[in-house]
């Protein structure tokens, strides 16, 4: 039982992490994008702003970098190109002209071939939509809900800790 106590107290991660989503999301766009729930909410927001393609492109590039298999990489590279980068792309991202990819690069794909564009889109999100997201109703309502839950959870934790101390 003693082990359990230290285990709980030394790991702020597990239960707190899921709770303090908005606090973490507000610290950086990186934190927001690492959290599936954060990505989901950010996408909802971007959809309303008609710029959801940015986060979708960013996610696709992240997944692309993890691919080991050459054939799979080739397929995914083409998919990213046709979905986000070609002139007929359904979810065309707004990247500066000179950094548009030459289609020939798709013949020899490599894990970082989209890195420059991904960074560009990341910065676009960071300095544009991300700051608006933090001021949006979507975010502020979530934050409020979390703070309320946090307060009631804290009250419970204190009570639990007290009972634990007296039970030993």
């Amino acid at each position: 039982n003693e082990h359990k106590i230290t285990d709980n107290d030394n790991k702020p991660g597990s239960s707190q992490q899921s709770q303090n989503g908005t606090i973490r999301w507000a610290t950086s766009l990186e934190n927001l994008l690492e959290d599936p729930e954060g990505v989901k909410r950010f996408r909802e927001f971007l959809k309303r702003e008609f710029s959801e393609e940015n986060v979708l492109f960013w996610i696709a590039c992240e997944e692309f970098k993890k691919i080991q298999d050459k054939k799979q990489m080739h397929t995914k590279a083409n998919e990213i190109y046709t979905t986000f980068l070609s002139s007929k792309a359904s979810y065309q991202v707004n990247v500066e002209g000179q950094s548009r990819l030459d289609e020939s690069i798709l013949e020899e794909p490599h894990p970082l071939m989209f890195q420059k564009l991904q960074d560009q889109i990341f910065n676009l999100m960071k300095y544009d939509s991300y700051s608006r997201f933090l001021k949006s109703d979507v975010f502020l309502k979530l934050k409020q809900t979390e703070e309320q839950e946090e307060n009631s959870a804290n009250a419970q934790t204190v009570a639990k800790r007290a009972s634990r101390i007296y039970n030993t």
Side-chain angles (χ1 to χ4, degrees):
N1 198 19
E2 237 175 86
H3 173 71
K4 213 174 193 168
I5 294 176
T6 57
D7 197 46
N8 281 349
D9 294 345
N10 289 345
K11 258 200 273 173
S14 50
S15 64
Q16 250 179 329
Q17 232 169 5
S18 56
Q19 259 173 358
N20 298 353
T22 55
I23 295 169
R24 265 197 353 278
W25 303 346
T27 41
S28 74
L29 180 54
E30 286 86 345
N31 284 349
L32 172 71
L33 293 170
E34 274 164 17
D35 183 350
E37 181 63 20
V39 169
K40 192 177 134 200
R41 302 300 185 164
F42 192 43
R43 273 186 67 178
E44 284 168 14
F45 171 74
L46 292 177
K47 211 178 250 176
R48 291 195 298 185
E49 292 216 325
F50 304 104
S51 60
E52 187 192 12
E53 68 280 355
N54 291 335
V55 76
L56 294 177
F57 173 68
W58 188 89
I59 292 165
C61 292
E62 281 300 286
E63 287 166 0
F64 178 76
K65 285 189 275 195
K66 294 180 190 130
I67 298 172
Q68 306 282 304
D69 180 63
K70 272 270 183 262
K71 202 170 170 219
Q72 221 182 331
M73 195 183 282
H74 198 265
T75 308
K76 185 77 173 169
N78 278 293
E79 203 180 287
I80 289 175
Y81 182 80
T82 50
T83 310
F84 301 104
L85 300 168
S86 89
S87 51
K88 302 182 200 69
S90 44
Y91 286 100
Q92 199 177 35
V93 287
N94 184 9
V95 287
E96 287 156 24
Q98 72 272 22
S99 51
R100 279 215 174 276
L101 285 184
D102 188 339
E103 245 175 293
S104 59
I105 194 174
L106 296 171
E107 298 310 309
E108 287 295 320
H110 58 89
L112 299 177
M113 63 188 278
F114 297 116
Q115 191 61 55
K116 252 200 191 110
L117 299 178
Q118 188 186 3
D119 292 343
Q120 222 182 59
I121 291 301
F122 179 84
N123 286 328
L124 185 72
M125 291 192 294
K126 184 173 181 170
Y127 296 110
D128 187 37
S129 27
Y130 174 62
S131 47
R132 283 202 302 279
F133 172 69
L134 296 180
K135 296 182 192 113
S136 70
D137 299 350
V138 180
F139 179 80
L140 296 172
K141 276 189 191 128
L142 276 170
K143 190 173 175 219
Q144 205 178 0
T145 311
E146 260 174 23
E147 281 162 1
Q148 287 161 355
E149 284 168 8
E150 181 72 14
N151 292 339
S152 62
N154 279 347
Q156 286 168 355
T157 311
V158 170
K160 267 189 214 150
R161 281 221 176 104
S163 71
R164 254 203 313 230
I165 295 165
Y166 298 120
N167 287 346
T168 47

